[in-house]
Amino acid sequence: MQSERALHVRESEDRLRRVLQATGAFAYELDAVTGQLDVVGDTLGIVGYEPEDAATWWHECLHPDDLARASVGLAAAVERGDDQFTAEYRLRHRDGSERYAWNQSIIVRDEAGRVIRLLGTTVDITERKRREERARQLQELTAALSAALDPESVGAAIIERAMPALGANAGNVFLLDASS
């Protein structure tokens, strides 16, 4: 009976790991009393580190421009007595690249209202943020092309807005005179 239960627990943990890997996410549990941090999921893909080392890399990977905002936001949620906290921030991958993450946490309290645990997930939303940025750039291009009254303005709009939206850093635009 006990070995059957242990097998069921291992299978459940394996399913959770695979789901988190497939969704580009990791889950965590922070014991606020002892400081013990347990992490499972796609930390290698998101930050380039093993889940077991999360206590070491967590603050190191949180983008310095977002660390204070995220910390203040969590402290405010705790102070208000909230039972949840969400935040969007950037993470620095071990390879130097930047990732965008969406974090959702449950704040667990004891009978006296003291925080004893944080449980949550962090999801890599980098591709979504890139698509949003491309869409914004293309909207700017559309507006610029709509406002362009002459071929020179159209060419300038293409060079200034379309190339970054398409990921190009160099190119040529040739304007041809149809009457020639």
Side-chain angles (χ1 to χ4, degrees):
M1 177 83 169
Q2 196 171 22
S3 64
E4 189 177 307
R5 175 85 174 128
L7 177 62
H8 180 68
V9 168
R10 279 195 305 277
E11 288 173 348
S12 292
E13 289 173 349
D14 186 51
R15 272 192 303 277
L16 175 62
R17 263 192 269 303
R18 284 185 280 150
V19 166
L20 291 168
Q21 185 76 28
T23 57
F26 62 84
Y28 60 89
E29 179 177 3
L30 172 65
D31 184 321
V33 178
T34 67
Q36 173 70 34
L37 177 62
D38 294 314
V39 177
V40 63
D42 189 24
T43 59
L44 282 173
I46 298 172
V47 293
Y49 294 95
E50 295 288 343
E52 302 82 43
D53 303 326
T56 305
W57 57 254
W58 183 253
H59 280 89
E60 181 179 308
C61 290
L62 197 56
H63 194 285
D65 293 344
D66 297 340
L67 179 59
R69 181 180 46 77
S71 298
V72 167
L74 177 58
V78 167
E79 183 68 29
R80 286 189 305 266
D82 296 353
D83 60 356
Q84 293 188 352
F85 172 70
T86 60
E88 184 178 304
Y89 47 78
R90 292 166 292 172
L91 292 169
R92 293 178 299 180
H93 192 280
R94 187 179 208 166
D95 67 10
S97 64
E98 188 174 272
R99 309 292 165 93
Y100 287 88
W102 175 251
N103 179 45
Q104 294 183 282
S105 301
I106 297 170
I107 303 168
V108 181
R109 299 170 188 276
D110 64 13
E111 300 79 29
R114 292 182 299 260
V115 175
I116 57 171
R117 182 170 281 114
L118 288 174
L119 301 160
T121 58
T122 299
V123 180
D124 185 343
I125 60 168
T126 305
E127 286 308 311
R128 186 194 88 200
K129 296 294 278 186
R130 288 181 182 153
R131 284 190 304 272
E132 289 171 357
E133 177 60 19
R134 278 189 217 108
R136 185 193 62 73
Q137 291 173 340
L138 290 172
Q139 285 175 335
E140 287 180 4
L141 172 62
T142 301
L145 290 174
S146 296
L149 299 176
D150 58 71
E152 222 171 89
S153 298
V154 170
I158 290 171
I159 291 169
E160 291 171 12
R161 293 192 175 82
M163 291 177 56
L166 298 172
N169 59 10
N172 294 308
V173 175
F174 296 98
L175 300 175
L176 303 175
D177 185 351
S179 64
S180 307

